[in-house]
Amino acid sequence: MQASLDVGEGVAAPVRKRAWPKTLPEQFDAVREVLSAAEAPLRAEEVARNFTRANRNKVAEVLETLDALSQVHRVGQERFAA
């Protein structure tokens, strides 16, 4: 099943999932990119859906670490924003 993105006037463009990066620095960059592009704060599982083979727990760990480093910020209990 492929997600789609509404680009206006009823036309939907497919959204391609990216592969989950192998290295930690690449994972940090990829998660920050997803949060920067998001219109609202996201949960770990919402961030993970942007990648193939992304483990929700690993994404949550990356989000927690980025928050601790003040590179993203927590919104409420479970959401994060750039």
Side-chain angles (χ1 to χ4, degrees):
M1 184 164 125
Q2 191 171 32
S4 63
L5 173 68
D6 184 5
V7 293
E9 298 184 21
V11 177
V15 174
R16 289 200 159 178
K17 290 185 175 186
R18 299 184 286 172
W20 179 243
K22 293 181 182 185
T23 69
L24 196 55
E26 292 172 326
Q27 292 169 4
F28 282 16
D29 288 341
V31 168
R32 281 192 302 257
E33 286 176 21
V34 168
L35 290 177
S36 292
E39 294 179 11
L42 301 175
R43 290 186 172 99
E45 57 269 8
E46 295 168 323
V47 174
R49 281 188 225 134
N50 288 272
F51 302 97
T52 57
R53 299 187 189 127
N55 177 295
R56 183 239 176 260
N57 292 332
K58 180 62 176 174
V59 172
E61 183 179 323
V62 168
L63 286 165
E64 295 285 341
T65 303
L66 289 171
D67 179 49
L69 295 171
S70 299
Q71 293 187 17
V72 302
H73 63 275
R74 183 184 302 271
V75 179
Q77 292 290 327
E78 300 178 357
R79 294 181 184 271
F80 295 86

